[in-house]
Amino acid sequence: MTIRLYDTSARQIRDFTPLTAGCVSIYLCGATVQAAPHIGHIRSGLNFDVMRRWFVYRGYDVTFIRNVTDIDDKIITKSGHQGRPWWSIGYENERAFNDGYTALGCLPPTYEPRATGHVTEMVEMMRGLIERGHAYESGGNVYFDVRSFPGYLALSNQELDNLRQPSGDGETGKRDERDFAMWKTARPGEPSWETPWGRGRPGWHLECSAMAHKYLGPAFDIHGGGLDLIFPHHENEIAQAKAYGDEFAKYWVHNAWVTMSGEKMSKSLGNSVLVSEMVKHWRPIVLRYYLGTPHYRSMIEYSEESLREAESAFARIEGFYQRVIEKAGGPVEPAAEVPPAFAEAMDDDLGVPQALAVVHTTVRQGNSALAADDKDAAIARLSEVRAMLGVLGLDPLDPHWAGETDRGEDLHGAVDTLVRLVLEQRESARSRKDWATADAIRDQLQQSGLVVEDGPSGPRWTLGPR
C-alpha cells in the first residue's frame, strides 16, 4: 500500500513517504477572514478533509494545521469603510468559516492558529533573516531580498527577470521592486505591534512561515492550499522558511477552484455563493457530495443543474440505505475495510471520482440483491457502502448528519399521515383496477416532490430530487 500525491513542486505524482513513519503533518492555508465564506473557500477545506480522512483510514496519525489570517490589508480597509474594529470583522467571519466547515462535515483541525497570536514568532524569523542577509529594514518596513535566495520561484516556475511582485500600499524603500514585504510600518489608525524596527503589522506571507514552523517544526510533510496561492503566497513562504534554515514542506498539494462562467469564484467579482445561504436551500450533505466528489485538481463549474444532479445521485444512495435497513430490520454497521478497488482509487492521488464509481457500482449490486430477495448480499453491500462513504465524510448514518434526519421530524410525521391518506385512495383505486386514477394520484405526488415506490410490503414514499 502506497499513497501517491501530485506534488506541485515536482510537477508529477509522487509516492508519499512521511518524514516520520506512521505520522503525517499537514499545513493548510485557511481563511483570510475579511468576509463570510463562499463555496469556493470551503472546497479547499473539504478536499483536505478527505485527504486527512484517507490518511487516518490508512493508519497514520495525522497532525492537521489550518491557520486563520485575521489581519491583512483587506480587513483593515473594510474596517475603515464600515467604521468597525478590525478584530470584530475578523472574528465574525472566522466564526462564519467555522460554521461552514462544520456544516459540511469537516473534522476540526488539530490546531487552528490565528496570525495575530504569533507576532513573537514572526519577529524571531525576521531577525534571523536579517542576520543571515536575506532581509532588510527600510523606514520601519522589513523586506525579503529575493535575489539572496537562489531557489526563489522554483515552485511557480517563473523567471526572476520577468517577475512582477504584487505590492500593497505603503511599501516604500525597497532595494528591488521584486522584494516582498514581511513587515509593514504602522500608519495612523491601523493596528500595530511593537518590534525592534518600530510599530507595524505582519505581511501575509510571513504569517504562514512562522506558524508552520511553530506547530510543525522546521520540516513537515504536506503544505496545501488553492491554486491561486502558488504565487506569490507559497513561493514567498518557501523563500522565507528555507532562507531561515527550515527544510519546510516535502510535498505541495493544491486544489482547483469553483468557477462561475469560467472565472474563479471571488467576492471581488461579485459572483460568490455564500455557504450560509446555500445551506438554506440545499442539504449540507448534498453540498459536500457536490463539492467533495470531483477530483481535487479539477475545476468545478458551478450551476444549479449540477447541484440537482448531485442531489439526485445522493438520493439514490440514501434510497438504497433505507430499503436495506428496512429489509434487515435494523442498523447495518460499516465494513471493517473498504473494497480494494475503492482503496486503489484513493491511493492514486485521492481519486475520489473513481472511488465514487465503486460506491455506485456497489449500490447497484445491492439493489440487484434486494430485487432477488437476497437479504445477506444486500446487507453486505450496504456495509461496504457505509465504509466507503465514511471515508469521504458522506455516510448518512454518521452522527454528524443525524441532525439532518432529525430536523423537521414533526413535519415529516404530519406529511407522512397526509401522504398515507392519499396512498390509501390510490390503493383503493388499484383494488378497483382503476389504473387511470391510481396513476394520476402517483403523478400528482411526484409533481409535489414525492416519489412513490411499490414494494412487497406496500407503497412507500420518499422525497425526490427538487
Side-chain angles (χ1 to χ4, degrees), residues 34-35 60-61 75 108 126 134 161 173-174 177 194 245 250 261 327 338 344 356 380 442 449 458 464:
Q34 85 271 15
Y60 288 95
D61 181 11
I75 295 172
M126 286 188 287
H134 292 292
D161 289 343
K174 290 183 180 182
E177 285 304 309
E194 189 62 61
K250 188 176 179 183
S261 303
K327 187 79 170 176
V338 299
E344 182 180 352
L356 195 64
R442 182 197 60 203

Side-chain angles (χ1 to χ4, degrees), residues 219-278:
F220 58 96
D221 292 307
I222 297 169
H223 196 310
L227 284 174
D228 52 320
L229 299 181
I230 294 174
F231 182 83
H233 187 47
H234 289 166
E235 198 73 79
N236 293 351
E237 277 188 67
I238 292 170
Q240 293 165 152
K242 291 195 171 183
Y244 184 67
D246 288 356
E247 293 179 40
F248 212 49
K250 188 176 179 183
Y251 299 85
W252 286 85
V253 179
H254 291 92
N255 65 278
W257 303 329
V258 179
T259 61
M260 293 182 72
S261 303
E263 293 185 272
K264 177 194 167 206
M265 189 170 284
S266 134
K267 298 183 191 74
S268 61
L269 292 175
N271 61 4
S272 60
V273 182
L274 296 181
V275 176
S276 58
E277 292 301 312
M278 293 292 285

Side-chain angles (χ1 to χ4, degrees), residues 67-68 80 104 126 129 186 244 252 294 297 336 363 415 423 426:
N67 77 293
V68 176
L104 271 62
M126 286 188 287
L129 288 169
Y244 184 67
W252 286 85
R297 289 192 287 121
V363 168
V415 172
L423 290 177
R426 179 171 176 263

Side-chain angles (χ1 to χ4, degrees), residues 319-346:
F320 170 63
Y321 266 65
Q322 188 171 353
R323 287 188 291 275
V324 176
I325 289 169
E326 286 178 0
K327 187 79 170 176
V332 174
E333 293 302 313
E337 295 184 359
V338 299
F342 181 94
E344 182 180 352
M346 292 297 291

Side-chain angles (χ1 to χ4, degrees), residues 58-364:
R58 281 304 198 191
Y60 288 95
D61 181 11
V62 179
T63 300
F64 183 71
I65 310 299
R66 186 183 66 213
N67 77 293
V68 176
T69 298
D70 60 341
I71 184 70
D72 84 333
D73 291 345
K74 294 177 182 177
I75 295 172
I76 293 170
T77 299
K78 183 161 285 189
S79 172
H81 290 162
Q82 295 185 3
R84 295 172 57 197
W86 61 273
W87 43 263
S88 172
I89 292 170
Y91 184 60
E92 175 183 281
N93 292 311
E94 179 184 339
R95 292 183 64 181
F97 267 88
N98 281 325
D99 287 348
Y101 291 132
T102 301
L104 271 62
C106 293
L107 300 172
T110 310
Y111 305 109
E112 191 169 29
R114 294 190 185 108
T116 54
H118 296 81
V119 172
T120 299
E121 290 84 355
M122 296 178 206
V123 170
E124 251 179 62
M125 183 167 278
M126 286 188 287
R127 183 183 286 115
L129 288 169
I130 290 173
E131 290 171 355
R132 291 170 174 80
H134 292 292
Y136 58 93
E137 183 271 339
S138 178
N141 295 310
V142 179
Y143 297 109
F144 186 91
D145 180 355
V146 298
R147 291 170 299 175
S148 73
F149 181 66
Y152 190 57
L153 300 179
L155 181 69
S156 56
N157 199 28
Q158 298 184 76
E159 295 291 336
L160 186 60
D161 289 343
N162 300 326
L163 178 66
R164 295 179 65 84
Q165 185 82 253
S167 293
D169 293 339
E171 294 185 17
T172 58
K174 290 183 180 182
R175 296 175 184 170
D176 187 313
E177 285 304 309
R178 294 168 295 189
D179 295 344
F180 61 86
M182 301 174 68
W183 191 261
K184 301 184 180 186
T185 190
R187 293 188 294 184
E190 287 188 349
S192 64
W193 289 260
E194 189 62 61
T195 75
W197 313 284
R199 295 193 67 84
R201 60 185 174 84
W204 176 30
H205 318 302
L206 177 64
E207 298 172 350
C208 284
S209 296
M211 287 187 285
H213 180 91
K214 166 81 172 181
Y215 291 93
L216 297 176
F220 58 96
D221 292 307
I222 297 169
H223 196 310
L227 284 174
D228 52 320
L229 299 181
I230 294 174
F231 182 83
H233 187 47
H234 289 166
E235 198 73 79
N236 293 351
E237 277 188 67
I238 292 170
Q240 293 165 152
K242 291 195 171 183
Y244 184 67
D246 288 356
E247 293 179 40
F248 212 49
K250 188 176 179 183
Y251 299 85
W252 286 85
V253 179
H254 291 92
N255 65 278
W257 303 329
V258 179
T259 61
M260 293 182 72
S261 303
E263 293 185 272
K264 177 194 167 206
M265 189 170 284
S266 134
K267 298 183 191 74
S268 61
L269 292 175
N271 61 4
S272 60
V273 182
L274 296 181
V275 176
S276 58
E277 292 301 312
M278 293 292 285
V279 296
K280 294 176 183 177
H281 305 288
W282 302 90
R283 293 169 58 210
I285 197 169
V286 169
L287 283 175
R288 182 178 177 103
Y289 184 94
Y290 171 67
L291 293 171
T293 53
H295 194 275
Y296 75 90
R297 289 192 287 121
S298 299
M299 297 292 182
I300 299 176
E301 174 67 14
Y302 172 79
S303 71
E304 287 212 0
E305 180 182 356
S306 298
L307 255 170
R308 283 192 292 270
E309 290 172 359
E311 184 181 48
S312 296
F314 197 71
R316 289 193 291 273
I317 295 173
E318 290 183 304
F320 170 63
Y321 266 65
Q322 188 171 353
R323 287 188 291 275
V324 176
I325 289 169
E326 286 178 0
K327 187 79 170 176
V332 174
E333 293 302 313
E337 295 184 359
V338 299
F342 181 94
E344 182 180 352
M346 292 297 291
D347 282 340
D348 187 12
D349 195 29
L350 304 176
V352 174
Q354 294 77 16
L356 195 64
V358 179
V359 172
H360 284 290
T361 296
T362 308
V363 168
R364 287 194 293 272

Side-chain angles (χ1 to χ4, degrees), residues 3 50-58 343 346-347 391:
I3 294 175
V50 171
M51 173 192 283
R52 176 190 187 177
R53 288 169 182 266
W54 184 244
F55 275 122
V56 169
Y57 174 83
R58 281 304 198 191
M346 292 297 291
D347 282 340
V391 166

